[in-house]
Amino acid sequence: MLAVNYTNLRDNMKTYMDKVTDDYETMIITRKNNRNVVMLSEESYNNLMENIHVMDNKTNYDWLMESKAQLEKGKFSAHELIEEDIDE
């Protein structure tokens, strides 16, 4: 996680925005009176919101944890995908 003060951010906005989006960095913009702001890419934000949505539903969460436990115990199988001709 990066931290930069507001003045430095304003003077170098493109550089910092590129760093956030290209390197998946989260940046804290420090301001007076500890009124800080967090900057993250839209992709990171969308991922965070999706995770919150999935984890907020107990049924989804339980299903994911059970699946994770099965995977860790080696209880899974791999299958080859079958391609279908779309013209059919």
Side-chain angles (χ1 to χ4, degrees):
M1 185 176 305
L2 303 173
V4 62
N5 66 40
Y6 174 78
T7 303
N8 195 349
L9 173 71
R10 186 182 59 225
D11 293 343
N12 301 288
M13 182 70 81
K14 182 186 180 321
T15 301
Y16 286 120
M17 289 173 68
D18 288 345
K19 185 116 182 112
V20 166
T21 56
D22 296 344
D23 299 339
Y24 300 99
E25 286 283 356
T26 301
M27 181 174 298
I28 296 175
I29 297 97
T30 58
R31 298 170 64 206
K32 290 181 182 176
N33 300 321
N34 206 28
R35 298 185 63 217
N36 300 338
V37 174
V38 175
M39 180 191 302
L40 63 156
S41 70
E42 181 182 19
E43 184 178 355
S44 295
Y45 172 80
N46 289 338
N47 184 286
L48 179 62
M49 292 296 104
E50 182 177 350
N51 283 320
I52 289 171
H53 173 74
V54 169
M55 295 303 197
D56 195 39
N57 181 306
K58 180 157 176 35
T59 303
N60 283 344
Y61 178 81
D62 292 344
W63 178 78
L64 283 170
M65 292 303 104
E66 177 61 27
S67 297
K68 180 180 177 226
Q70 289 173 357
L71 179 64
E72 290 171 346
K73 293 176 184 174
K75 295 181 179 179
F76 64 91
S77 59
H79 304 274
E80 289 189 31
L81 296 177
I82 300 171
E83 289 191 36
E84 293 185 14
D85 189 4
I86 297 175
D87 295 335
E88 291 181 6

